Amino acid sequence: MISMFLLFSVFILYSINRMTNSLCIQKEIPEERQPKVFRFINVSITILLVSSYVEILYT
């Protein structure tokens, strides 16, 4: 169960980062701000993934 969820999480993080990169290119976000955008989105997605894992674990 854990390995399946980890695989799923890696796929989700990879695809979200690809979409974030596309957003940065499309909206012409300056290079200085891009690390902040990526950090915020990655932390948010990680929190969502951890909370969903905990929910699945205790259900």
Side-chain angles (χ1 to χ4, degrees):
M1 173 92 165
I2 294 174
S3 62
M4 190 70 159
F5 195 82
L6 284 174
L7 183 64
F8 172 73
S9 298
V10 168
F11 174 74
I12 293 296
L13 281 170
Y14 175 72
S15 60
I16 294 294
N17 279 326
R18 281 185 44 216
M19 288 188 282
T20 304
N21 188 36
S22 297
L23 173 76
C24 287
I25 292 170
Q26 182 180 11
K27 296 295 180 183
E28 298 176 354
I29 296 175
E31 289 285 327
E32 309 84 54
R33 291 199 50 213
Q34 286 184 13
K36 292 179 183 179
V37 171
F38 275 95
R39 187 177 311 116
F40 176 77
I41 291 176
N42 283 332
V43 167
S44 300
I45 294 300
T46 303
I47 290 170
L48 285 171
L49 287 169
V50 167
S51 66
S52 66
Y53 178 73
V54 168
E55 183 178 344
I56 289 170
L57 189 66
Y58 293 112
T59 304

